[in-house]
Amino acid sequence: MTIQTTTTIGEDLIGALRAGLGEGSVLTSAEDIGGYLVESRGLYKGEALAVVRPRDRDEVALVVKECGRAGVPIVPQGGNTGLVGGGVPHGGIVLSLDRLQRIREVDPVNATITVEAGCILKSVHEAADQVGYAFPLSLPSEGSCRIGGNLATNAGGTAVLRYGNMRELTLGLEVVLADGRIWNGLKGLRKDNTGYDLRDLFIGSEGTLGIITAAVLKLYPKPQARGTAFIGCTSPGQALKLFERLREGAGDQLTAFEYMTDFGLEIVLKHRPAAQRPLSGRHHSYALIELSSPQKDADLQGRLETILGSALEEGLIDDAVISASGAQSQALWSLREDLSEVQRLEGGSIKHDVAVPVSRVAEFIEAASKACEAEMPGIRVCAFGHFGDGNIHFNLSQPVGMDKAAHLAEWERFNRIVHDIVHDMNGSISAEHGIGLIKRDELPHYKDPVALDLMRSLKKTLDPQNILNPGKVVAIGESWPTGFSAIAGHP
Amino acid sequence: MTIQTTTTIGEDLIGALRAGLGEGSVLTSAEDIGGYLVESRGLYKGEALAVVRPRDRDEVALVVKECGRAGVPIVPQGGNTGLVGGGVPHGGIVLSLDRLQRIREVDPVNATITVEAGCILKSVHEAADQVGYAFPLSLPSEGSCRIGGNLATNAGGTAVLRYGNMRELTLGLEVVLADGRIWNGLKGLRKDNTGYDLRDLFIGSEGTLGIITAAVLKLYPKPQARGTAFIGCTSPGQALKLFERLREGAGDQLTAFEYMTDFGLEIVLKHRPAAQRPLSGRHHSYALIELSSPQKDADLQGRLETILGSALEEGLIDDAVISASGAQSQALWSLREDLSEVQRLEGGSIKHDVAVPVSRVAEFIEAASKACEAEMPGIRVCAFGHFGDGNIHFNLSQPVGMDKAAHLAEWERFNRIVHDIVHDMNGSISAEHGIGLIKRDELPHYKDPVALDLMRSLKKTLDPQNILNPGKVVAIGESWPTGFSAIAGHP
């Protein structure tokens, strides 16, 4: 199949969709659809015949059937906050899930919540909170990202160390298939061995195998005690040793172990006047540590004092601060959270979202930093992120004074350097963001060819017409579109 | 394809396998292969051309290629301890993984172990223990079951409440596909979003989609403190309320919450002379509770005393004992563990392995017990198991004095009664044992037809010749064999 964008097909389809869903659910004016066409960071601008906004699962099925009949591609979209261009349309229609916002059921005894794909993550947090539970997925975009997108990308975030990715937080799904049939897999079961695991096939498939319309998610007892600390040390290797100590000494209470470097902390302090230096001196590496417990009486500050105290005595770390209040904890967390944003203020940034085995994360940071600094004098490595998961956002800020576009033009070259090191360590070139468009041509360099072939077979089996988000994740024949507009010079 | 068992094909194949693997790796005499043909509880006896015992992954691939060339089915087998007849051959060859016993790597910093499919579960426990970690999968058959079978059936057990099923304990796989290619997915990563989740497609597929030859498994900090209690109460509803209290009060420390009834405890005490009555009186329902913590200083007995003390005061439970020593804990655990075995001594038992949402587990036990007791006066309900996961082994011991075979002949009738109730509660007719043969004809009654159709599509895509464990889990065309020998009258 080639992508159909001819006017006649488009008009027939739009007529059919309007007849089925009503005028107001099918947007076509440039003004109405503009926001759906642009990738959140402005890296891509796509085009679409229309944006369709069904109200429920059955309307989603209707849209998929009509598009199948017309042979027109569908790009599902949630909050459009993805970081790999997975929601960018290239002709066809955008199917927005944003009106599927019902929380269908909360079952506190089963510790589950059943939500529709269009629910904003924060509203799920709030619904869980109301029954005394927590839904632990925690992302910078939680005020605007939607559950369907979290599922489609198997979202990660800062609580994976303790609770796992979106995959581990999900028990059941409801999915509209490429032929418009609905799979009702909305079971809230902890155990179900009745055949193949369909759920995990759709989670993380970025809308290319089916359109997730609802999910049963796990809830957890709400943390009643927290302890937060910020430490400075001389190398990522020292940070890794400290991580081991904490895992051993705090076990399940260790909820986050986030890493940043001197460069990262300094740019936060530079661009955020309200931010305060957490330790008196400067250090090569920092870690933000959080312990939490559902038990009010858990003495987490005491535990941090013990573990960090002995690490200080032995010279494993150089300095540490343990927060004495919720406000102080929040201030420490802001240093980490603001880092994602302030990089933009330092010019162009070539970004990588990689993972290696935790045992090699320090080695990776050192080797990749060295290689990039040798490749381009003055380049500023901003390595940070979910150290305890082996997941590093290995970003490269442009040398001071360099032209931004010229820096971003080097993206491919640095991909090869960084991803080769990752690959040599049996790592992953996409830890938590997915493949989408941005890594679709990078994937075949590193993915096991047998795995890629299996992926193509699965795509062909589940979407034989190739109408579900074609051109994303994995190439199928000639439908692999090229020529997406790259707004910001890359990719 | 129909199953080929003609002599010529068989002789050619066996010749090719002997040439490739050596004489000693291909067993054909009735004496040598007898043990591989019989299901562990004697429910089925199968037949096979040969039992092939490859030494490594490449030899497995060779066997699969030769069988594919000859069109001869392959039944993969680990420890042959499965409970659904998934390892019973119906012609073709048995491919035993029992010689793939290498522990390829232990990485304590990454908290992972890489093992081959033929490793016995207990040997994995021991290897983890040697580096100060635990591999938490815990099953009655752990001294003889093998990792490949644990993966193929997504095994459960008594620690799922805290650690999840085999699926949640696995990071990476190595799989020989139906065409003999090898997928190397042996990554020890906590995060990897590079395309579709192939791993979870093979886990739980009972050897019908590929042959797992190795896996990277997660290790956990070894529990350093344990607290065990045994309580009696008046109903499963009271047990459920207590479970909620424990989940709230003990959080992650709650490792097991196992349920049994008066009938279950009494038959253990009857058939195990060394067993001691744990509480002074008799009660309708009992729960075995375990808290554990990786922290030595965790006061788990104190926590149990607080929670159970207030439950006693409020009349939520009737009696409780908290173990004061490791030996006492073991004695309490034996009451639960021995229950699986002693049912056999009470005659025929019609078994169900079901799950419902945890919020409905008490309601399920009551409704199903009432329905079965009404259907057959004198039937003795033995409901027990992993209450905290919503997973009940709902077994039905024959009325005293009834003929065993006559009781077992009622299996289908009671399936319908019990499974209808499970289905009405949005539950699962196989919580942790799988489908195999024993539930293959039951599955279409309850599984969502769209899901079944997807399963068939996946089977056809991954095993187009239908040579991998055909006739198990899901029916494909005319290859669905019937006429397996049912030794013990059922199914």
Side-chain angles (χ1 to χ4, degrees):
Chain A
M1 199 205 73
T2 54
I3 293 173
Q4 311 278 346
T5 53
T6 68
T7 315
T8 324
I9 287 173
E11 280 175 5
D12 287 354
L13 172 65
I14 284 160
L17 294 173
R18 287 202 162 125
L21 273 61
E23 291 284 326
S25 298
V26 184
L27 315 177
T28 52
S29 77
E31 194 187 337
D32 286 344
I33 72 174
Y36 296 88
L37 306 181
V38 183
E39 194 258 2
S40 59
R41 292 168 301 182
L43 287 182
Y44 298 101
K45 186 176 183 321
E47 53 188 54
L49 293 172
V51 172
V52 187
R53 298 178 63 224
R55 273 162 291 224
D56 58 31
R57 173 196 70 180
D58 294 337
E59 287 195 353
V60 173
L62 185 152
V63 174
V64 172
K65 275 181 195 158
E66 289 297 342
C67 288
R69 197 167 289 145
V72 167
I74 301 162
V75 179
Q77 227 179 64
N80 197 17
T81 59
L83 296 170
V84 290
V88 181
H90 179 68
I93 66 145
V94 171
L95 193 162
S96 172
L97 280 304
D98 61 1
R99 288 164 100 181
L100 277 74
Q101 290 215 32
R102 278 196 307 147
I103 290 179
R104 293 198 195 159
E105 192 191 1
V106 183
D107 182 345
V109 182
N110 197 40
T112 49
I113 186 166
T114 306
V115 301
E116 292 187 342
C119 287
I120 288 176
L121 175 53
K122 196 158 189 285
S123 67
V124 179
H125 290 165
E126 288 163 0
D129 190 69
Q130 276 173 23
V131 293
Y133 280 83
F135 178 65
L137 187 74
S138 176
L139 299 174
S141 58
E142 61 196 33
S144 54
C145 67
R146 295 175 193 268
I147 291 297
N150 299 149
L151 287 160
T153 58
N154 185 27
T158 54
V160 172
L161 186 59
R162 168 63 189 85
Y163 299 100
N165 290 286
M166 194 63 179
R167 186 182 303 292
E168 284 81 39
L169 300 174
T170 306
L171 293 177
L173 290 184
E174 177 186 84
V175 179
V176 174
L177 305 179
D179 58 10
R181 286 183 302 167
I182 295 163
W183 168 48
N184 180 357
L186 280 182
K187 288 188 189 270
L189 301 174
R190 257 68 186 177
K191 283 179 165 178
D192 182 12
N193 274 352
T194 56
Y196 308 152
D197 179 17
L198 304 173
R199 175 188 67 198
D200 290 310
L201 197 52
F202 293 107
I203 297 174
S205 70
E206 305 187 38
T208 64
L209 299 181
I211 298 174
I212 296 168
T213 50
V216 185
L217 307 176
K218 290 187 205 169
L219 300 179
Y220 286 82
K222 212 187 292 188
Q224 301 290 344
R226 284 183 201 275
T228 313
F230 200 92
I231 67 95
C233 60
T234 53
S235 70
Q238 300 290 79
L240 182 57
K241 281 184 193 148
L242 179 66
F243 170 71
E244 285 186 75
R245 292 278 180 93
L246 283 157
R247 191 173 56 186
E248 195 187 322
D252 295 333
Q253 295 174 338
L254 181 59
T255 318
F257 190 101
E258 297 286 312
Y259 175 86
M260 60 203 293
T261 58
D262 178 60
F263 173 71
L265 180 59
E266 292 304 316
I267 63 171
V268 172
L269 295 172
K270 172 179 166 191
H271 296 290
R272 291 281 188 263
Q276 292 195 6
R277 189 174 291 284
L279 304 170
S280 55
R282 286 173 65 170
H283 304 270
H284 179 281
S285 293
Y286 301 97
L288 173 67
I289 298 152
E290 185 169 282
L291 307 189
S292 71
S293 167
Q295 279 117 36
K296 266 190 199 130
D297 57 356
D299 179 18
L300 301 179
Q301 293 202 5
R303 193 173 299 281
L304 282 170
E305 278 165 22
T306 307
I307 299 171
L308 298 181
S310 70
L312 272 167
E313 263 176 43
E314 295 168 43
L316 185 60
I317 59 176
D318 297 329
D319 200 0
V321 58
I322 297 171
S323 82
S325 68
Q328 209 179 339
S329 294
Q330 190 43 56
L332 294 175
W333 267 104
S334 293
L335 297 173
R336 163 64 185 85
E337 284 161 357
D338 289 346
L339 179 51
S340 304
E341 183 61 18
V342 300
Q343 288 170 85
R344 195 176 43 81
L345 305 172
E346 289 292 319
S349 171
I350 295 173
K351 295 175 190 296
H352 305 91
D353 164 40
V354 302
V356 293
V358 179
S359 47
R360 306 195 73 174
V361 66
E363 188 187 346
F364 163 75
I365 293 170
E366 287 184 337
S369 301
K370 204 172 149 192
C372 293
E373 284 159 359
E375 185 72 13
M376 186 189 283
I379 204 167
R380 296 169 300 162
V381 173
C382 186
F384 70 102
H386 320 302
F387 192 93
D389 308 316
N391 173 197
I392 296 297
H393 300 304
F394 192 84
N395 295 348
L396 300 165
S397 281
Q398 63 176 69
V400 175
M402 184 177 179
D403 176 63
K404 182 177 171 184
H407 181 62
L408 294 176
E410 303 292 339
W411 201 303
E412 298 291 336
R413 185 151 63 103
F414 282 100
N415 263 355
R416 194 64 57 246
I417 293 169
V418 174
H419 291 167
D420 277 356
I421 295 170
V422 167
H423 189 66
D424 284 348
M425 294 183 180
N426 206 10
S428 165
I429 65 161
S430 180
E432 59 175 11
H433 296 165
I435 297 298
L437 267 179
I438 217 168
K439 291 181 182 168
R440 71 172 188 195
D441 297 331
E442 189 71 0
L443 190 62
H445 281 286
Y446 297 106
K447 191 83 173 175
D448 178 68
V450 175
L452 263 184
D453 191 60
L454 282 174
M455 284 170 57
R456 281 191 207 100
S457 299
L458 292 170
K459 172 70 174 169
K460 285 177 192 161
T461 300
L462 290 174
D463 179 20
Q465 264 190 290
N466 195 21
I467 59 166
L468 294 179
N469 213 1
K472 311 290 167 58
V473 185
V474 66
I476 298 296
E478 43 186 345
S479 73
W480 196 234
T482 52
F484 283 77
S485 317
I487 298 177
H490 177 80
Chain B
M1 199 204 75
T2 54
I3 295 172
Q4 311 277 349
T5 53
T6 66
T7 316
T8 325
I9 288 174
E11 280 174 5
D12 287 355
L13 172 65
I14 283 160
L17 294 174
R18 287 204 162 122
L21 272 62
E23 291 283 326
S25 298
V26 185
L27 315 177
T28 53
S29 78
E31 195 187 337
D32 286 343
I33 74 173
Y36 295 88
L37 305 182
V38 183
E39 193 259 1
S40 58
R41 293 168 302 182
L43 287 181
Y44 297 100
K45 186 176 184 319
E47 52 187 53
L49 294 172
V51 172
V52 187
R53 298 179 65 225
R55 272 162 293 224
D56 58 30
R57 174 194 71 179
D58 293 337
E59 287 195 353
V60 173
L62 184 153
V63 173
V64 173
K65 276 182 194 157
E66 290 296 344
C67 288
R69 198 168 290 146
V72 167
I74 302 162
V75 179
Q77 228 179 63
N80 197 17
T81 60
L83 296 171
V84 290
V88 181
H90 179 68
I93 66 144
V94 171
L95 192 161
S96 173
L97 280 304
D98 62 0
R99 288 164 101 181
L100 277 75
Q101 290 213 32
R102 277 195 307 147
I103 290 178
R104 293 199 194 158
E105 191 190 2
V106 184
D107 181 346
V109 181
N110 197 38
T112 49
I113 185 167
T114 306
V115 301
E116 292 188 340
C119 287
I120 288 176
L121 175 53
K122 197 159 189 286
S123 68
V124 178
H125 291 166
E126 288 163 0
D129 190 69
Q130 277 173 23
V131 292
Y133 279 83
F135 179 64
L137 187 74
S138 175
L139 300 174
S141 58
E142 62 196 31
S144 54
C145 67
R146 295 175 193 269
I147 291 297
N150 299 149
L151 288 160
T153 58
N154 185 26
T158 54
V160 172
L161 186 60
R162 168 63 190 87
Y163 298 100
N165 290 286
M166 194 63 178
R167 185 182 305 290
E168 283 81 40
L169 300 174
T170 306
L171 293 177
L173 291 184
E174 176 186 84
V175 180
V176 174
L177 305 179
D179 58 10
R181 286 183 301 167
I182 295 163
W183 169 49
N184 180 358
L186 282 182
K187 287 187 189 270
L189 301 174
R190 258 66 186 177
K191 284 179 164 177
D192 183 11
N193 275 352
T194 55
Y196 307 153
D197 179 17
L198 304 173
R199 175 188 67 197
D200 289 310
L201 197 53
F202 293 108
I203 295 175
S205 71
E206 305 186 38
T208 65
L209 299 181
I211 299 174
I212 297 168
T213 50
V216 185
L217 307 176
K218 290 186 202 170
L219 301 178
Y220 285 83
K222 213 188 291 189
Q224 302 290 344
R226 283 183 202 275
T228 313
F230 199 92
I231 67 95
C233 61
T234 54
S235 70
Q238 300 291 79
L240 182 56
K241 282 184 192 147
L242 179 67
F243 170 70
E244 285 186 74
R245 293 277 181 91
L246 283 157
R247 190 174 57 188
E248 196 186 323
D252 296 332
Q253 295 174 337
L254 181 58
T255 317
F257 190 101
E258 296 285 313
Y259 175 86
M260 61 202 293
T261 59
D262 178 60
F263 172 72
L265 180 59
E266 292 305 316
I267 63 171
V268 171
L269 295 171
K270 174 180 165 190
H271 295 291
R272 290 282 187 263
Q276 292 195 6
R277 188 174 291 283
L279 304 170
S280 56
R282 286 174 65 170
H283 305 271
H284 179 281
S285 293
Y286 300 97
L288 172 67
I289 297 151
E290 185 168 283
L291 307 189
S292 71
S293 168
Q295 278 117 36
K296 266 191 201 128
D297 57 355
D299 178 18
L300 302 180
Q301 294 203 3
R303 194 173 297 281
L304 282 170
E305 277 163 25
T306 307
I307 298 171
L308 298 181
S310 70
L312 272 168
E313 262 176 43
E314 295 168 42
L316 184 60
I317 59 175
D318 297 330
D319 201 0
V321 58
I322 297 170
S323 81
S325 69
Q328 210 179 336
S329 295
Q330 189 44 55
L332 294 175
W333 267 104
S334 293
L335 297 173
R336 163 65 186 85
E337 284 162 354
D338 288 347
L339 179 51
S340 303
E341 182 62 21
V342 300
Q343 290 171 84
R344 196 176 42 83
L345 306 171
E346 289 291 320
S349 172
I350 295 174
K351 295 176 190 297
H352 305 90
D353 164 40
V354 302
V356 293
V358 178
S359 47
R360 306 197 72 174
V361 65
E363 189 188 346
F364 164 74
I365 293 170
E366 287 185 337
S369 300
K370 206 172 149 191
C372 293
E373 283 159 359
E375 184 72 13
M376 185 189 280
I379 204 167
R380 295 170 300 162
V381 174
C382 186
F384 70 101
H386 319 302
F387 192 93
D389 308 317
N391 174 197
I392 296 298
H393 299 305
F394 192 84
N395 296 348
L396 301 164
S397 280
Q398 62 175 69
V400 175
M402 184 177 177
D403 176 62
K404 181 178 172 184
H407 181 64
L408 294 176
E410 303 291 340
W411 200 303
E412 297 292 337
R413 185 152 63 102
F414 282 100
N415 262 354
R416 194 63 56 245
I417 293 168
V418 174
H419 291 166
D420 277 358
I421 295 170
V422 166
H423 189 65
D424 284 348
M425 294 183 180
N426 206 10
S428 166
I429 65 162
S430 180
E432 59 175 8
H433 296 165
I435 298 298
L437 268 178
I438 217 168
K439 290 181 182 167
R440 69 170 190 197
D441 297 332
E442 189 71 358
L443 190 61
H445 282 285
Y446 297 107
K447 191 82 174 177
D448 178 68
V450 175
L452 263 184
D453 191 61
L454 283 174
M455 283 170 58
R456 282 192 206 99
S457 299
L458 292 170
K459 171 70 173 168
K460 284 177 192 162
T461 301
L462 290 173
D463 179 20
Q465 266 190 289
N466 196 20
I467 59 165
L468 293 179
N469 213 1
K472 310 293 167 58
V473 186
V474 67
I476 297 296
E478 44 186 345
S479 72
W480 195 234
T482 53
F484 282 79
S485 318
I487 299 177
H490 178 79

mmCIF file of all heavy atoms in Angstrom, chain B residues 366-376 414 417-418 421:
data_model
loop_
_atom_site.group_PDB
_atom_site.id
_atom_site.type_symbol
_atom_site.label_atom_id
_atom_site.label_comp_id
_atom_site.label_asym_id
_atom_site.label_seq_id
_atom_site.Cartn_x
_atom_site.Cartn_y
_atom_site.Cartn_z
ATOM 1 N N GLU B 366 -16.873 -18.332 48.389
ATOM 2 C CA GLU B 366 -18.186 -18.648 48.951
ATOM 3 C C GLU B 366 -19.172 -19.111 47.886
ATOM 4 O O GLU B 366 -19.870 -20.110 48.053
ATOM 5 C CB GLU B 366 -18.719 -17.446 49.733
ATOM 6 C CG GLU B 366 -17.945 -17.305 51.043
ATOM 7 C CD GLU B 366 -18.464 -16.211 51.957
ATOM 8 O OE1 GLU B 366 -19.112 -15.280 51.464
ATOM 9 O OE2 GLU B 366 -18.193 -16.310 53.178
ATOM 10 N N ALA B 367 -19.213 -18.394 46.766
ATOM 11 C CA ALA B 367 -20.182 -18.743 45.723
ATOM 12 C C ALA B 367 -19.862 -20.094 45.095
ATOM 13 O O ALA B 367 -20.756 -20.929 44.882
ATOM 14 C CB ALA B 367 -20.202 -17.650 44.650
ATOM 15 N N ALA B 368 -18.585 -20.324 44.804
ATOM 16 C CA ALA B 368 -18.212 -21.573 44.141
ATOM 17 C C ALA B 368 -18.387 -22.763 45.088
ATOM 18 O O ALA B 368 -18.824 -23.843 44.679
ATOM 19 C CB ALA B 368 -16.776 -21.481 43.623
ATOM 20 N N SER B 369 -18.081 -22.568 46.369
ATOM 21 C CA SER B 369 -18.251 -23.661 47.342
ATOM 22 C C SER B 369 -19.719 -24.048 47.427
ATOM 23 O O SER B 369 -20.076 -25.232 47.382
ATOM 24 C CB SER B 369 -17.755 -23.229 48.730
ATOM 25 O OG SER B 369 -16.392 -22.882 48.678
ATOM 26 N N LYS B 370 -20.570 -23.040 47.547
ATOM 27 C CA LYS B 370 -22.004 -23.276 47.662
ATOM 28 C C LYS B 370 -22.528 -24.005 46.419
ATOM 29 O O LYS B 370 -23.277 -24.992 46.520
ATOM 30 C CB LYS B 370 -22.698 -21.906 47.796
ATOM 31 C CG LYS B 370 -24.030 -21.940 48.508
ATOM 32 C CD LYS B 370 -24.517 -20.510 48.762
ATOM 33 C CE LYS B 370 -26.044 -20.485 48.738
ATOM 34 N NZ LYS B 370 -26.568 -19.116 48.708
ATOM 35 N N ALA B 371 -22.109 -23.554 45.264
ATOM 36 C CA ALA B 371 -22.610 -24.150 44.018
ATOM 37 C C ALA B 371 -22.175 -25.612 43.888
ATOM 38 O O ALA B 371 -22.960 -26.471 43.491
ATOM 39 C CB ALA B 371 -22.118 -23.333 42.822
ATOM 40 N N CYS B 372 -20.931 -25.889 44.248
ATOM 41 C CA CYS B 372 -20.428 -27.267 44.105
ATOM 42 C C CYS B 372 -21.063 -28.186 45.140
ATOM 43 O O CYS B 372 -21.393 -29.342 44.844
ATOM 44 C CB CYS B 372 -18.909 -27.296 44.218
ATOM 45 S SG CYS B 372 -18.120 -26.463 42.823
ATOM 46 N N GLU B 373 -21.215 -27.684 46.361
ATOM 47 C CA GLU B 373 -21.830 -28.509 47.412
ATOM 48 C C GLU B 373 -23.290 -28.804 47.078
ATOM 49 O O GLU B 373 -23.804 -29.879 47.381
ATOM 50 C CB GLU B 373 -21.703 -27.799 48.765
ATOM 51 C CG GLU B 373 -20.282 -27.928 49.325
ATOM 52 C CD GLU B 373 -19.925 -26.865 50.379
ATOM 53 O OE1 GLU B 373 -20.784 -25.995 50.660
ATOM 54 O OE2 GLU B 373 -18.800 -26.899 50.882
ATOM 55 N N ALA B 374 -23.952 -27.854 46.411
ATOM 56 C CA ALA B 374 -25.345 -28.100 46.007
ATOM 57 C C ALA B 374 -25.403 -29.116 44.873
ATOM 58 O O ALA B 374 -26.329 -29.915 44.780
ATOM 59 C CB ALA B 374 -25.991 -26.780 45.575
ATOM 60 N N GLU B 375 -24.383 -29.103 44.022
ATOM 61 C CA GLU B 375 -24.382 -29.984 42.855
ATOM 62 C C GLU B 375 -24.139 -31.441 43.244
ATOM 63 O O GLU B 375 -24.705 -32.350 42.644
ATOM 64 C CB GLU B 375 -23.281 -29.523 41.885
ATOM 65 C CG GLU B 375 -23.211 -30.257 40.581
ATOM 66 C CD GLU B 375 -24.348 -29.928 39.624
ATOM 67 O OE1 GLU B 375 -25.080 -28.935 39.876
ATOM 68 O OE2 GLU B 375 -24.525 -30.672 38.637
ATOM 69 N N MET B 376 -23.285 -31.659 44.237
ATOM 70 C CA MET B 376 -22.964 -33.027 44.639
ATOM 71 C C MET B 376 -22.862 -33.105 46.161
ATOM 72 O O MET B 376 -21.829 -32.751 46.738
ATOM 73 C CB MET B 376 -21.637 -33.475 44.014
ATOM 74 C CG MET B 376 -21.302 -34.955 44.291
ATOM 75 S SD MET B 376 -19.637 -35.394 43.782
ATOM 76 C CE MET B 376 -19.850 -35.614 42.022
ATOM 77 N N PHE B 414 -18.071 -29.932 36.664
ATOM 78 C CA PHE B 414 -17.638 -28.962 37.672
ATOM 79 C C PHE B 414 -16.802 -27.834 37.061
ATOM 80 O O PHE B 414 -16.839 -26.703 37.540
ATOM 81 C CB PHE B 414 -16.920 -29.672 38.828
ATOM 82 C CG PHE B 414 -17.886 -30.332 39.758
ATOM 83 C CD1 PHE B 414 -18.135 -31.698 39.689
ATOM 84 C CD2 PHE B 414 -18.605 -29.575 40.677
ATOM 85 C CE1 PHE B 414 -19.062 -32.294 40.529
ATOM 86 C CE2 PHE B 414 -19.532 -30.166 41.522
ATOM 87 C CZ PHE B 414 -19.764 -31.537 41.448
ATOM 88 N N ILE B 417 -19.335 -25.261 36.165
ATOM 89 C CA ILE B 417 -19.873 -24.545 37.332
ATOM 90 C C ILE B 417 -18.845 -23.533 37.867
ATOM 91 O O ILE B 417 -19.138 -22.351 38.045
ATOM 92 C CB ILE B 417 -20.264 -25.551 38.440
ATOM 93 C CG1 ILE B 417 -21.454 -26.399 37.962
ATOM 94 C CG2 ILE B 417 -20.579 -24.834 39.746
ATOM 95 C CD1 ILE B 417 -21.743 -27.604 38.844
ATOM 96 N N VAL B 418 -17.637 -24.024 38.094
ATOM 97 C CA VAL B 418 -16.612 -23.160 38.712
ATOM 98 C C VAL B 418 -16.170 -22.070 37.735
ATOM 99 O O VAL B 418 -16.105 -20.888 38.084
ATOM 100 C CB VAL B 418 -15.404 -24.006 39.178
ATOM 101 C CG1 VAL B 418 -14.274 -23.106 39.681
ATOM 102 C CG2 VAL B 418 -15.839 -24.992 40.258
ATOM 103 N N ILE B 421 -18.589 -19.158 37.225
ATOM 104 C CA ILE B 421 -18.533 -18.169 38.323
ATOM 105 C C ILE B 421 -17.298 -17.276 38.165
ATOM 106 O O ILE B 421 -17.369 -16.055 38.291
ATOM 107 C CB ILE B 421 -18.548 -18.887 39.696
ATOM 108 C CG1 ILE B 421 -19.890 -19.612 39.876
ATOM 109 C CG2 ILE B 421 -18.291 -17.902 40.834
ATOM 110 C CD1 ILE B 421 -19.941 -20.556 41.076
#
